[in-house]
Each structure stands twice: as C-alpha cells, then as structure tokens.
Amino acid sequence: MITINENYLKLQASYLFSDIAKRVAAFEKNNPDRDVIKLGIGDVTKGLMPASIKAFHEAVDEMANDATFKGYGPEQGYEFLREAIAVNDFKSRGADISADEVFVSDGAKCDSGNIQEIFSQDIKIAIPDPVYPVYLDTNVMAGRTGIFADGRYQGLVYLDSTRENNFVPALPEEPVDLIYLCFPNNPTGSTISKQELKTWVDYARDNKALILFDAAYEAFISDDSLPKSIFEIEGAKEVAIEFRSFSKSAGFTGTRCAYTVVPKECAAYDSKGNKHLLHALWNRRHCTKFNGVSYPVQRAAAAVYTEQGKAESKALIDYYMVNARAVCKTMDELGYSYVGGTNSPYIWVDGKTDSWEFFDMLLNKAGVVCTPGAGFGKCGNGYIRISAFNSHDKVKQAMERIKASLA
Ligand code: MLT
C-alpha cells in the first residue's frame, strides 16, 4: 500500500497566497460588476525592462541557429551571469563574493524552500513571526516540527517581530542551529541596520549556527547606511547563505531567475563532528535536482547589470516606490500606524482588528485586495500587508476607495 509523508497533514489547509487568490476569485465571480484592485501578493505589473527584452530577443535568435544554439547549460548558471552578479551585487559593496559561490536558479522561493534538505533532521530552527510562509512550511514538510497548536508549530523557536522591537527580532533565548532572516522584511517591510545584523552574525559564529538571509527585496533600499547583503558584515562568509532574486528588482516574477550565494567558507558538521563545506553539498543537490535556468532568461538577467539595465532597474524600483509613498500618505491621513514603505515595497498596517476581518472588509467595501497579516504568523494578527506593486493609477484609485470606506 502506498503511504504518504504524514508531515504534510500538519500543514495549514492551503498556501497563503493560493488561499487569498481563491477568495478573490470567488468574490469576482459573485460580483462581476466590481473592479477589484490587487495589492495583495507581491507580483510586479510593469513590462520587462528594454535592456532585458533586447538581450532576451537576441538570445532567442541564437537558440534558432544550430551554430549558436545552447542545450543544457551549467547547472550553476552561465559564467557571464555569475560573474556579473559577483562584481555588481557584492564586490562593488565591499563584499568578497566570487562568481563560483553564486548558484543561479529559477527562484528565491524554491531555493529558500529547498535549502533545508542539506541539514539534518534534528537541528533547532529559529523562524521569525511574522514570516514568509515558505521557510516554515518546507520545514514542516520535512518533519522538523511537531503539530500546529495554538497558532504555532511545536518544536520551532519563533522570533517575534513586533512593534516593541521595531520588527527586528531579538536573539533567541535558547540555542538554535539554523536561523531564517529576511531584510528588507517580507511581510513587515522593516529593515535591519549593519549593527543589528552584526549581532546576528556574531551569534551565529559563537554558536556554530547558520543564517539563511533572504535579501530578495534589497533593491528597494535607498538608505545607503543599510546593508543590502549580509556579506557586507565582517565574518558573515563563514556563517551565512544569501538568497536574491530578479523578480522584484527587474520584474522577473513571470520570467523566473534568482540566485543563492553559498560562500566556500560556510560549513556544517556531521554526527561525528566532522566539518563539511555547504558549497559542496548545495552544489551536489543543485546538480542532481536542477538543470539550470534557460539561456535567454540568463541573458535577460545579465542585461540588468549593463549601464542601461542599471538605470532601468532603478527607474522600475522608483516607480513602485511612488506607490509605496501614496499608501503611506493615505495611512497617515486615516490615522493607521504602519511600518515599511520606505526601503521596501510592503507597508505593514496595524488594522486595529482581526486581519481576516480587515481583509474581507477591504475587499467587500473597497474592492481592494491586501494580505492578512495573520497568514504570516501569530504576531501578524491585527495587521494587513499592502503591496506597492501595481500601476500608479490603480494604487491611486485603491487609496481613494480605501479612504472612502474607512474614513
Ligand atoms: C509575497 O507576496 O510575499 C511574494 O510575492 C511571494 C513570493 O515572492 O513568492
């Protein structure tokens, strides 16, 4: 008899964003005359940048010719892209990352979900609350938690991110082995200072722990004193892995390209206490389970690092940040307190009521979709997340409708 991985039965009914999409689809079906504005899932709305499109087209043409056609590429990504990443995203900021420490992939969601496979079953995991659900669910699936009770999985160490700590969690009180951090944060939009991040790096070094740092939203940082990469912090190369994505910085949510940096110094131990390099383990996993991102997509991603690409990427980020400011202004006018929206495309609003009730109210009264904070964890209850990813016109309309509904 075929049996299942019963850890899946511990998961909450459905993935947060699928759940919301279903509710919105039902609302649209029942209210065909209502025009719904989506500020929920962080999905970009603007077309790909001209620099990427040109490179994309040229690469597609190369694929049409026997002489320039590419079959399987290197699993880790083409050298031209890995080198451009190392130089532009790290070396330019004083972080000593080399091209062969970069693993190109089809998404930071996949990488941040898959990475846990290379660690043992019995490690102690620290997960922020609220949190991007992927870190949590993939560890539940892998059997690293107990059951879900009273809003939390047993066996995990939760790092509360609340107004009291400015949405930057404090170090755990009990020892942990694997720590998930995300800054600029999804969902709260909060940022971490270099000094605060150094505290975490020092903790990891002192405790032989590892930090999984999700920097998918780094492109939205305009305050240059904030770290864009954990590798800007001294000593991080031994104790951190970083996830990055072209999804938000270059509008690649539908095109799919991201990367993970696993420094060669980063190690973990076997049950006998022998040290193993995580670079070798991740490389082994990557080569076994992944055949690389398509050549045209990698060319389109590499174009982000040309002079034209850099300028267009900045313009893209600036475009969405105009929306973020409009959302913040509306919340100020309505007297709602919030965090985020300055170095982040997300605005985390204290809705002063149950998150799902607030979500339903905004959908029904204003026809605007947000993300209920409770979907990101217990500490998210009472909050909603508003995303800046939409057109100026739609965000303007959404804010007018929210004002009319809430004022
Ligand atoms: C979000 O809305 O949190 C993100 O878009 C989800 C993702 O990037 O997978």
Side-chain angles (χ1 to χ4, degrees):
M1 183 176 66
I2 178 84
T3 51
I4 60 159
N5 171 357
E6 290 198 12
N7 295 311
Y8 275 64
L9 303 180
K10 298 178 197 161
L11 291 166
Q12 297 309 286
S14 63
Y15 182 63
L16 174 64
F17 294 107
S18 325
D19 197 14
I20 293 168
K22 268 192 229 133
R23 284 186 188 227
V24 174
F27 177 85
E28 285 178 319
K29 191 161 173 251
N30 296 333
N31 301 276
D33 51 327
R34 299 279 301 273
D35 159 48
V36 174
I37 301 178
K38 294 179 182 151
L39 304 178
I41 190 165
D43 194 4
V44 295
T45 54
K46 280 190 87 61
L48 287 180
M49 305 162 3
S52 291
I53 281 295
K54 181 167 178 288
F56 215 158
H57 279 299
E58 284 169 4
V60 169
D61 287 342
E62 283 184 65
M63 295 298 272
N65 268 310
D66 292 356
T68 48
F69 168 79
K70 304 266 187 295
Y72 293 124
E75 292 92 343
Q76 303 84 351
Y78 283 100
E79 189 60 26
F80 64 79
L81 179 56
R82 299 173 88 197
E83 190 61 39
I85 289 169
V87 170
N88 292 283
D89 286 347
F90 298 98
K91 292 199 170 92
S92 71
R93 295 188 62 88
D96 179 26
I97 294 296
S98 58
D100 60 358
E101 293 173 309
V102 174
F103 291 82
V104 176
S105 78
D106 61 349
K109 177 181 187 174
C110 320
D111 287 352
S112 62
N114 289 329
I115 193 84
Q116 46 76 29
E117 278 184 30
I118 64 171
F119 304 108
S120 75
Q121 204 63 19
D122 54 1
I123 47 169
K124 198 73 174 166
I125 297 178
I127 286 208
D129 180 355
V131 74
Y132 178 47
V134 173
Y135 318 150
L136 186 61
D137 286 2
T138 51
N139 278 293
V140 176
M141 290 168 175
R144 289 200 187 83
T145 71
I147 57 160
F148 189 75
D150 193 23
R152 288 188 159 175
Y153 286 98
Q154 292 169 351
L156 294 176
V157 173
Y158 283 90
L159 305 169
D160 290 0
S161 306
T162 59
R163 188 186 295 105
E164 286 67 40
N165 57 28
N166 222 2
F167 302 92
V168 177
L171 295 176
E173 278 161 22
E174 54 186 298
V176 297
D177 307 305
L178 188 65
I179 302 153
Y180 287 83
L181 292 179
C182 171
F183 288 103
N185 188 260
N186 181 12
T188 69
S190 65
T191 52
I192 193 165
S193 69
K194 281 193 178 154
Q195 197 48 46
E196 286 165 328
L197 192 52
K198 182 173 184 309
T199 315
W200 282 98
V201 169
D202 292 347
Y203 173 91
R205 293 180 68 90
D206 293 346
N207 292 277
K208 290 201 162 114
L210 184 84
I211 299 171
L212 298 177
F213 191 75
D214 186 345
Y217 297 92
E218 56 73 33
F220 293 86
I221 293 179
S222 55
D223 175 349
D224 212 42
S225 71
L226 297 172
K228 282 181 167 255
S229 164
I230 195 167
F231 302 119
E232 291 172 34
I233 310 298
E234 203 191 328
K237 277 191 84 179
E238 285 87 10
V239 293
I241 286 176
E242 181 166 303
F243 306 102
R244 291 270 191 115
S245 172
F246 292 94
S247 283
K248 319 287 155 108
S249 60
F252 272 50
T253 52
T255 310
R256 310 307 307 148
C257 197
Y259 66 89
T260 289
V261 177
V262 187
K264 294 225 176 102
E265 291 87 335
C266 227
Y269 302 83
D270 64 24
S271 54
K272 298 190 187 75
N274 300 313
K275 194 169 164 177
H276 297 270
L277 296 184
L278 295 181
H279 186 276
L281 292 184
W282 184 245
N283 189 48
R284 186 70 175 81
R285 191 238 168 245
H286 206 69
C287 294
T288 305
K289 296 195 175 184
F290 190 61
N291 253 339
V293 172
S294 81
Y295 172 71
V297 168
Q298 292 195 56
R299 279 288 179 203
V304 175
Y305 298 107
T306 59
E307 284 316 307
Q308 182 191 345
K310 284 181 197 171
E312 288 170 357
S313 165
K314 185 179 176 307
L316 190 66
I317 301 293
D318 290 348
Y319 180 90
Y320 291 123
M321 290 312 283
V322 168
N323 291 340
R325 282 193 290 280
V327 175
C328 292
K329 186 167 168 280
T330 303
M331 294 304 129
D332 285 334
E333 284 167 16
L334 290 170
Y336 281 88
S337 68
Y338 60 87
V339 62
T342 346
N343 293 287
S344 151
Y346 294 132
I347 299 97
W348 186 242
V349 182
D350 184 347
K352 302 186 239 176
T353 179
D354 175 83
S355 296
W356 282 102
E357 260 174 41
F358 201 87
F359 169 88
D360 284 333
M361 190 269 291
L362 275 193
L363 183 57
N364 289 307
K365 284 177 85 175
V368 174
V369 180
C370 66
T371 309
F376 297 101
K378 205 173 173 174
C379 292
N381 201 12
Y383 289 86
I384 55 152
R385 191 192 74 178
I386 301 181
S387 143
F389 296 114
N390 212 321
S391 67
H392 288 170
D393 192 41
K394 290 269 183 215
V395 171
K396 189 164 167 267
Q397 274 183 52
M399 293 307 114
E400 277 160 12
R401 290 197 212 162
I402 289 180
K403 269 196 230 168
S405 316
L406 295 183

